[in-house]
């Protein structure tokens, strides 16, 4: 009898021990967005985070801290690099201060699913690991070309006399079109337009309504160029600290997130219609000029990349191009 009690007590202790060991397997990752919380990117991420947390009890949780008010857009990359935050929703243009290569991802011409197959994704991660102390986790925006939005009409691809708001995405290309450029985070675009500090801005095809920029926008120049890159990145030591169960769970959810990227083509078409309805006029060129415009964007983009990081640019160009 006495022995049996002891055995039961031992079993109870072991069971409790096992329970707390299981609980200790749950990791919570802090995530900050470089884009504002009321914008489409965070709107798309929120339900994913909810799903990760609902299905990941006891394994992995994501704690969404907030947007650029928590950490300014252009400082977020360094916060991931140093481990101040575990994860970020961000674009490479916002963390060229970590590594110039960050901005090269705008030059991909193949879907992320294909990047995972042809070695591009691994090549990105080699650079992100070594230079950024980061893991490149997933691309959640695709099929969102950038455009020039302006209040000054042009009849050819020439921005002479125009002040255009940029990030590193557009700098070399817009300067080659004779624009004078001003770098700001998205959060300062409205005020810059309102005060006439800029005549226009670079932005993808979708999202200008989220912050009422359409109120201050007369023209969109077609065609678009490059592909807006918005991705999840993670501090490398934090990523390496995940156990197999956690890493496999995260990976499964990241692939599920990327599988939702078919949304963006539809969204782009809807946004074009919405811009037209809002009175934004489209500036177009003849076919030859349009092709030359797009080709020039890529030529200038890759030339800038080659200047900043020749070996990586050559490696990426072979893997990113159609
Ligand atoms: O920071 C922003 O202003 C921002 O993130 C955003 C996102 C989508 C559309 C417009 C702005
Ligand atoms: O224009 C920008 O702020 C910018 O660089 C960007 C990048 C990806 C998606 C949206 C905007």
């Amino acid at each position: 009898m006495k022995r049996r009690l002891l055995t039961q007590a031992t079993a109870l202790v072991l069971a409790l021990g096992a329970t707390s060991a299981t609980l200790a397997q749950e990791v919570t990752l802090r995530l900050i967005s470089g884009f504002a919380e009321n914008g489409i990117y965070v709107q798309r991420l929120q339900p994913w985070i909810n799903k990760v947390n609902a299905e990941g009890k006891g394994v992995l949780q994501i704690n969404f801290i907030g947007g650029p008010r928590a950490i300014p857009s252009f400082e977020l990359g360094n916060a991931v690099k140093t481990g101040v935050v575990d994860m970020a929703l961000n674009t490479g243009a916002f963390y060229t201060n970590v590594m110039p290569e960050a901005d090269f991802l705008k030059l991909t011409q193949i879907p992320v699913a294909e990047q995972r197959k042809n070695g591009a994704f691994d090549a990105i991660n080699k650079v992100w690991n070594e230079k950024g102390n980061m893991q490149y986790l997933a691309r959640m925006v695709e099929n969102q070309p950038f455009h020039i939005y302006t209040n000054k009409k042009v009849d050819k691809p020439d921005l002479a006399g125009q002040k255009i708001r940029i990030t590193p995405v557009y700098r070399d290309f817009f300067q080659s079109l004779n624009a004078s450029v001003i770098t700001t985070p998205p959060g300062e675009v409205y005020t810059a337009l309102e005060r006439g500090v800029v005549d226009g801005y670079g932005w993808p095809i979708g999202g200008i309504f989220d912050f009422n920029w359409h109120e201050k926008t007369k023209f969109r120049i077609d065609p678009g160029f490059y592909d807006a890159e918005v991705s999840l990145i993670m501090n490398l030591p934090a990523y390496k600290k995940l156990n197999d169960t956690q890493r496999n769970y995260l990976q499964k959810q990241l692939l599920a997130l990327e599988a939702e990227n078919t949304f963006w083509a539809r969204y782009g078409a809807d946004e074009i219609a919405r811009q037209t309805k809002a009175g934004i006029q489209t500036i177009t060129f003849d076919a030859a000029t349009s092709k030359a415009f797009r080709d020039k964007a890529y030529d200038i983009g890759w030339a800038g990349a080659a200047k900043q990081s020749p070996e990586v640019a050559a490696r990426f160009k072979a893997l990113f191009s159609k």
Side-chain angles (χ1 to χ4, degrees):
M1 183 68 189
K2 200 175 176 191
R3 178 181 284 169
R4 189 143 152 233
L5 262 180
L6 265 179
T7 313
Q8 281 175 349
T10 309
L12 186 64
V13 167
L14 283 174
L16 284 172
T19 306
S20 55
T22 308
L23 283 177
Q25 300 297 305
E26 184 179 280
V27 64
T28 298
L29 305 171
R30 290 157 44 90
L31 187 154
I32 290 182
S33 168
F35 293 94
E37 287 164 50
N38 45 340
I40 183 70
Y41 307 139
V42 175
Q43 276 176 42
R44 299 270 311 157
L45 193 68
Q46 287 281 15
W48 179 80
I49 293 174
N50 294 343
K51 183 164 165 277
V52 168
N53 291 345
E55 296 172 8
K57 293 213 167 71
V59 179
L60 184 143
Q61 299 286 293
I62 294 175
N63 178 10
F64 178 64
I65 309 284
R69 276 175 304 188
I71 297 184
S73 306
F74 296 164
E75 291 168 30
L76 183 55
N78 259 317
V80 174
K81 181 183 178 179
T82 58
V84 168
V85 290
D86 300 309
M87 244 194 226
L89 174 70
N90 210 356
T91 183
F94 294 176
Y95 57 96
T96 54
N97 55 349
V98 173
M99 50 186 172
E101 292 87 352
D103 186 41
F104 300 0
L105 303 185
K106 70 189 178 195
L107 296 167
T108 52
Q109 291 181 304
I110 58 170
V112 68
E114 207 172 317
Q115 293 171 38
R116 287 188 182 270
K117 288 190 199 126
N118 81 343
F121 206 90
D122 292 336
I124 293 167
N125 254 319
K126 189 170 187 305
V127 178
W128 263 236
N129 286 181
E130 286 170 10
K131 297 191 77 170
N133 195 37
M134 289 173 193
Q135 186 73 13
Y136 182 71
L137 294 178
R139 182 159 179 161
M140 68 160 288
V141 176
E142 303 185 76
N143 272 309
Q144 288 287 289
F146 294 101
H147 284 261
I148 302 166
Y149 299 85
T150 181
N151 291 314
K152 284 191 176 167
K153 195 167 186 172
V154 293
D155 54 11
K156 55 183 193 296
D158 187 352
L159 299 172
Q162 299 210 30
K163 288 173 291 181
I164 307 288
R165 171 271 173 185
I166 60 153
T167 66
V169 164
Y170 325 90
R171 181 177 296 120
D172 292 350
F173 183 42
F174 289 4
Q175 283 182 332
S176 83
L177 300 171
N178 307 310
S180 56
V181 296
I182 303 165
T183 302
T184 83
E188 289 169 27
V189 172
Y190 189 91
T191 309
L193 286 165
E194 193 174 37
R195 297 191 182 156
V197 173
V198 297
D199 301 303
Y201 53 94
W203 193 259
I205 192 61
I208 69 163
F209 294 92
D210 297 355
F211 299 92
N212 299 319
W213 300 346
H214 65 288
E215 292 171 0
K216 307 282 168 199
T217 305
K218 292 205 176 86
F219 304 102
R220 184 191 70 247
I221 298 181
D222 282 2
F225 50 91
Y226 308 152
D227 192 18
E229 174 268 326
V230 179
S231 303
L232 287 172
I233 52 173
M234 185 167 174
N235 173 260
L236 186 59
Y239 183 73
K240 285 187 169 160
K241 249 187 5 219
L242 299 178
N243 65 32
D244 287 349
T245 308
Q246 293 163 341
R247 193 174 310 108
N248 291 339
Y249 176 70
L250 178 61
Q251 184 65 12
K252 184 183 91 175
Q253 295 291 356
L254 292 168
L255 293 176
L257 179 68
E258 285 184 356
E260 300 287 325
N261 283 353
T262 49
F263 164 82
W264 295 105
R266 203 167 65 236
Y267 175 71
D270 291 348
E271 288 282 286
I272 289 173
R274 196 173 169 196
Q275 288 179 21
T276 305
K277 222 175 145 194
I280 296 174
Q281 297 173 57
T282 311
I283 295 175
T284 54
F285 311 120
D286 63 60
T289 308
S290 294
K291 184 182 183 307
F293 176 83
R294 260 182 72 87
D295 288 351
K296 183 176 179 179
Y298 282 97
D299 288 348
I300 296 238
W302 281 118
K307 212 166 144 191
Q308 291 177 299
S309 182
E311 279 162 36
V312 173
R315 214 180 314 146
F316 281 7
K317 190 174 183 184
L319 293 166
F320 290 2
S321 303
K322 262 205 281 242

